Amino acid sequence: MTDLDARKAVLRGKLKERRAAAAAANGAAVAALAADRFLAAVPLRAGQAVAGYWPMADELDPRPLLDALRQCGVLVLLPCVVAKAQPLAFRRWDEDVAPPPGRYGIPAPPDHLPALRPDILLVPLVGFDAEGHRLGMGGGFYDATLEALRGDGLPLLAAGYAFAVQQVAELPHGAMDERLDLVVTERGAIDCHAEGGQTI
């Protein structure tokens, strides 16, 4: 384990505790408010594809947002693990129940459904900073996915989705870590390209 990995591991433990406390205290209310914040900050059009996620453990629940996106005519996709440290695939899911367990037991639409490219990628977080550096679970899936999607030359908005208490002043990061464009919490949307991370 490198020094960077060790620093991330320590921070991951602390931030998971923060996230769990926030989810237990007012998770449902924050999820509804974060959905409103996202819709106010991100321009959408019918037919766009937005990749969300099915909430695991204490992650901020995106289901209120995904329901609202469907009502706006947006195609809602969920991620599917293809292989370790490989880019995720994304398939449409219009149900309000969990998809069946996929690889590693993560709920995911079945493999027989066609894979689609998202225009907007909603990224679950353990932690983040105002510059868009993110801390995930350590599997490398979202870094690989962001690198692949950004490499195809098509527009992509990568938006982190988290409780505000998951923000830190500065997150340890390396050259291979992909940054977010935006982070949405119950307090608003942080533009990670603006100096100091301006809230919009």
Side-chain angles (χ1 to χ4, degrees):
M1 178 181 287
T2 66
D3 177 64
L4 177 61
D5 290 336
R7 290 163 60 204
K8 285 184 177 181
V10 170
L11 190 56
R12 184 176 289 113
K14 293 178 180 178
L15 290 175
K16 285 176 73 174
E17 289 180 2
R18 280 193 202 176
R19 187 178 70 179
N26 53 4
V30 170
L33 186 53
D36 291 341
R37 300 294 195 192
F38 182 96
L39 294 170
V42 179
L44 298 166
R45 66 179 187 278
Q48 271 187 311
V50 177
Y53 58 91
W54 198 264
M56 302 281 288
D58 304 307
E59 291 172 342
L60 178 58
D61 189 347
R63 287 175 293 181
L65 173 59
L66 301 184
D67 289 342
L69 291 173
R70 291 186 185 101
Q71 293 173 23
C72 295
V74 170
L75 304 180
V76 171
L77 317 178
L78 292 181
C80 306
V81 174
V82 176
K84 186 176 181 180
Q86 293 299 308
L88 298 163
F90 299 94
R91 297 182 170 88
R92 190 168 178 179
W93 189 252
D94 290 328
E95 308 295 329
D96 57 4
V97 296
R103 290 171 183 81
Y104 305 111
I106 299 170
D111 288 347
H112 71 266
L113 297 175
L116 301 173
R117 185 197 186 277
D119 301 297
I120 299 171
L121 179 59
L122 202 65
V123 183
L125 302 174
V126 174
F128 68 94
D129 64 21
E131 293 186 349
H133 300 115
R134 52 171 290 275
L135 184 66
M137 293 300 292
F141 293 110
Y142 277 94
D143 285 319
T145 301
L146 287 167
E147 181 181 19
L149 290 173
R150 286 169 170 163
D152 69 10
L154 297 174
L156 177 75
L157 177 71
Y161 207 61
F163 296 97
V165 295
Q166 293 173 246
Q167 184 173 0
V168 295
E170 185 177 359
L171 200 66
H173 56 277
M176 303 301 291
D177 293 330
E178 293 283 336
R179 288 176 57 190
L180 300 164
D181 302 304
L182 194 74
V183 179
V184 178
T185 75
E186 72 275 20
R187 294 181 184 168
I190 301 169
D191 180 354
C192 300
H193 296 296
E195 187 174 353
Q198 179 180 353
T199 300
I200 55 176

